[in-house]
Amino acid sequence: MLREALGDAAVVELIDEFRLSNRALMDEIVNPQMPTSESLHRAVHSLKSSSAALGLMALSRLCANLELALRRDGSVETRAAIESLPELFTEAERWLLEQRPSLPTVA
């Protein structure tokens, strides 16, 4: 487990950084200001990778499916995946907070 390998402080930092940086990615995906297929794909790919790195496999799989839909220009699939992201991301954040060692929380 990460906690044994890295220690509590490093796990706290990983979780807090995931939450902060990936909230911005979520906003970029769900509410793009000037969407381009490249910027959307980059945000989805980053969220997929960071989710997988922390073991958030359901979120990572949804992002992988979204990447495929973007490549195929499957607008219906793309919309459905994007609409599913906020709820799954919230569940992932909740789980991470439950796993987080008791050290000060970053807002």
Side-chain angles (χ1 to χ4, degrees):
M1 184 169 208
L2 277 178
R3 192 177 291 170
E4 287 82 27
L6 302 175
D8 285 352
V11 171
V12 166
E13 188 175 332
L14 282 172
I15 290 171
D16 290 348
E17 180 58 33
F18 175 89
R19 292 178 63 227
L20 290 173
S21 63
N22 287 296
R23 282 181 191 157
L25 289 175
M26 281 294 299
D27 192 47
E28 200 174 319
I29 295 165
V30 176
N31 303 307
Q33 298 302 313
M34 295 183 60
T36 66
S37 61
E38 183 180 328
S39 65
L40 184 57
H41 186 268
R42 188 174 34 253
V44 170
H45 184 78
S46 295
L47 182 58
K48 178 188 77 172
S49 299
S50 61
S51 298
L54 287 180
L56 304 169
M57 300 317 294
L59 183 57
S60 183
R61 277 191 300 275
L62 179 61
C63 290
N65 291 337
L66 180 51
E67 276 186 312
L68 288 173
L70 288 167
R71 280 191 208 117
R72 287 190 304 246
D73 195 29
S75 58
V76 172
E77 292 173 303
T78 300
R79 245 180 281 121
I82 288 173
E83 289 172 2
S84 300
L85 269 176
E87 182 178 349
L88 197 52
F89 184 79
T90 299
E91 289 174 21
E93 272 194 314
R94 192 174 305 125
W95 183 83
L96 283 174
L97 288 173
E98 290 170 4
Q99 307 309 309
R100 189 181 184 281
S102 295
L103 294 175
T105 302
V106 173

